[in-house]
Amino acid sequence: MAADQRGKAATLALRRRLLSNSCRLFFPEDPIKIVRGQGQYMYDEQGAEYIDCINNVAHVGHCHPLVVQAAHEQNQVLNTNSRYLHDNIVDYAQRLSETLPEKLCVFYFLNSGAYHGHLSSLIDISPYKFRDLDGQKEWVHVAPLPDTYRGPYREDHPNPAVAYASEVKRVVSSAQEKGRKIAAFFAESLPSVGGQIIPPAGYFPEVAGHIRRAGGVFVADEIQVGFGRVGKHFWAFQLQGEDFVPDIVTMGKSIGNGHPVACVATTQAVARAFEATGVEYFNTFGGSPVSCAVGLAVLDVLEKEQLQAHAACVGSFLMELLGQQKAKHPILGDIRGVGLFIGVDLIKDEATRMPATEEADYVVSRLKENYILLSTDGPGRNVLKFKPPMCFSLDNARHVVAKLDAILTDMEAKVRSCETLRLHS
């Protein structure tokens, strides 16, 4: 408990001395010391309450009592690796299989699903990482982001799904002309680092056709957007049509509500191909009894509290409120999202849609002063990203949007740093 009494300045001094500067803080000029979380709220050392709009890891709410209890109870009995028979791992695989298309029926458990490119192999397939380091390897091929707001095929295009999928086909053909084969296509079901992008419906099935004809597999990354966040479906890839089934689905973060759990679901065909190599798959902590107890508890809470339906309801209400603000504030160029995964694209100029990076940073800083935690994403760091715990309420949505309205109104009166903030005069 002694550490709880330490002042923020002392904690910051210790962190600066003991941790690398590459381990960055939110709000580095004035970081927050968070000592407690409950539901969609976080509390600092002074007891101030913040609304958490960004923590998709605490999927069913910070420190959910049923999840905490499940971990505690299993920890008191056994926690070991998956080389011993145990019911939790098979029960959990069974429960996950019930949420997925029938073909995705083989599971590999891991201890972390937050692969932010710390291994060279993962940096090499993460454009936002390799562009700042050694550049793109010759065996990596990047297709245009299916962004209908900023990309080459926009909202006025008659069929952006086919147009963007044709770009993937072009990339495949170009690779083949150089004598290369296609192994896999990786995509977040809803690209988050790309700027909270909602790919046009039908894009994934078209892409999968091109990739599979070239001998590759389709990998859908659900780490940020799975487990009911999109509201309409349990998995975000299902937004692409009920007949679309990826070959591999990766899941993590929200899967354990803060406990380090992750999983890969795949088909029998892919699993058998891996088994044929003779290589054993083993992860020391993946699929442990405690991790699987936590995973089961998260699924129980999602079901019991009907959080998928809640995400659909609150998300559509939040989109509606933000849409009203867009009509009022020209700096809000685009509001896009589904369920509790929403992006607010801030622009400096309506004609060019130039990212309003500094303005977005200023908005996030002002929201923090109002005890609301939000962050930016996208290549231009100008997209306000909403991905709160799934218990985020209608009242929270009203409160956050009212504060955003007040901040933007104030910026139009006083900051006026770009064309869209000056249009109100």
Side-chain angles (χ1 to χ4, degrees):
M1 290 301 290
D4 290 349
Q5 311 306 316
R6 184 181 290 133
K8 186 169 89 168
T11 304
L12 182 58
L14 274 172
R15 180 174 171 123
R16 283 177 175 158
R17 180 159 68 83
L18 297 167
L19 302 189
S20 165
N21 285 336
S22 59
C23 303
R24 293 175 188 165
L25 285 161
F26 278 139
F27 315 108
E29 280 74 39
D30 182 25
I32 309 171
K33 183 174 180 179
I34 294 294
V35 298
R36 187 167 72 86
Q38 194 68 50
Q40 65 274 48
Y41 302 104
M42 298 177 89
Y43 301 86
D44 70 13
E45 82 285 8
Q46 305 289 334
E49 180 183 88
Y50 292 80
I51 300 178
D52 183 358
C53 298
I54 48 175
N55 207 324
N56 58 324
V57 177
H59 191 59
V60 298
H62 291 279
C63 304
H64 194 289
L66 293 183
V67 179
V68 171
Q69 182 185 359
H72 176 62
E73 288 178 358
Q74 184 56 53
N75 252 322
Q76 291 181 306
V77 180
L78 174 72
N79 197 22
T80 187
N81 66 60
S82 60
R83 283 190 170 128
Y84 301 97
L85 278 176
H86 197 278
D87 284 336
N88 285 12
I89 192 168
V90 290
D91 287 346
Y92 190 36
Q94 177 69 37
R95 284 283 295 280
L96 284 173
S97 74
E98 289 163 9
T99 71
L100 287 158
E102 200 175 331
K103 285 182 188 172
L104 294 165
C105 58
V106 184
F107 298 86
Y108 298 85
F109 291 99
L110 306 84
N111 71 308
S112 174
Y115 60 88
H116 290 305
H118 301 312
L119 302 174
S120 58
S121 56
L122 292 174
I123 288 171
D124 287 344
I125 60 166
S126 304
Y128 83 110
K129 287 278 186 179
F130 69 58
R131 283 171 182 155
D132 292 333
L133 295 167
D134 297 333
Q136 188 172 329
K137 298 289 194 296
E138 60 180 12
W139 51 271
V140 175
H141 317 281
V142 181
L145 200 61
D147 178 354
T148 56
Y149 183 66
R150 292 187 178 283
Y153 311 111
R154 299 191 172 184
E155 64 272 14
D156 55 354
H157 192 280
N159 197 337
V162 170
Y164 277 113
S166 296
E167 291 290 328
V168 177
K169 185 182 181 183
R170 182 184 57 75
V171 170
V172 168
S173 300
S174 172
Q176 289 171 330
E177 283 164 16
K178 293 171 187 166
R180 295 208 159 267
K181 293 179 181 177
I182 301 299
F185 176 86
F186 290 83
E188 279 188 283
S189 297
L190 301 173
S192 51
V193 171
Q196 307 291 97
I197 303 300
I198 312 297
Y203 171 69
F204 280 4
E206 286 282 331
V207 169
H210 298 318
I211 295 299
R212 287 166 180 158
R213 280 190 291 275
V217 296
F218 191 107
V219 183
D221 174 355
E222 291 275 336
I223 287 169
Q224 299 234 41
V225 292
F227 293 90
R229 176 161 295 280
V230 299
K232 294 176 186 174
H233 301 282
F234 198 79
W235 302 106
F237 72 77
Q238 292 168 320
L239 293 164
Q240 291 285 322
E242 59 184 46
D243 295 332
F244 172 66
V245 182
D247 301 291
I248 296 172
V249 172
T250 61
M251 49 190 91
K253 291 191 177 180
S254 55
I255 192 174
N257 210 55
H259 183 89
V261 193
C263 179
V264 171
T266 190
T267 61
Q268 283 285 0
V270 172
R272 285 193 188 123
F274 179 57
E275 288 158 13
T277 66
V279 176
E280 179 194 9
Y281 172 73
F282 175 66
N283 183 304
T284 305
F285 302 109
S288 74
V290 169
S291 292
C292 292
V294 166
L296 284 161
V298 169
L299 293 178
D300 287 343
V301 173
L302 282 168
E303 205 170 288
K304 185 178 172 187
E305 298 182 10
Q306 299 182 312
L307 291 177
Q308 184 180 329
H310 180 79
C313 168
V314 177
S316 63
F317 179 65
L318 181 53
M319 283 283 287
E320 188 185 320
L321 293 181
L322 290 166
Q324 290 165 9
Q325 294 304 312
K326 181 179 181 293
K328 184 176 175 183
H329 302 289
I331 195 171
L332 303 181
D334 190 37
I335 312 291
R336 51 184 177 261
V338 56
L340 285 173
F341 178 88
I342 295 170
V344 180
D345 197 314
L346 272 60
I347 56 170
K348 287 181 183 285
D349 176 83
E350 288 181 320
T352 64
R353 300 181 178 180
M354 182 188 288
T357 306
E358 299 78 14
E359 289 77 11
D361 193 48
Y362 179 81
V363 168
V364 166
S365 176
R366 289 284 304 275
L367 283 167
K368 176 212 162 200
E369 291 168 12
N370 284 274
Y371 304 99
I372 293 164
L373 301 179
L374 202 62
S375 66
T376 58
D377 226 326
R381 305 297 304 178
N382 67 303
V383 180
L384 305 179
K385 58 177 178 182
F386 287 85
K387 42 177 191 165
M390 298 273 278
C391 45
F392 188 83
S393 70
L394 294 170
D395 279 345
N396 294 149
R398 284 189 198 95
H399 177 71
V400 170
V401 174
K403 292 293 185 188
L404 178 64
D405 180 22
I407 291 165
L408 293 176
T409 301
D410 186 59
M411 288 173 74
E412 286 157 354
K414 298 174 186 171
V415 178
R416 299 170 60 78
S417 55
C418 61
E419 181 65 28
T420 48
L421 287 175
R422 293 190 289 267
L423 287 172
H424 256 260
S425 58

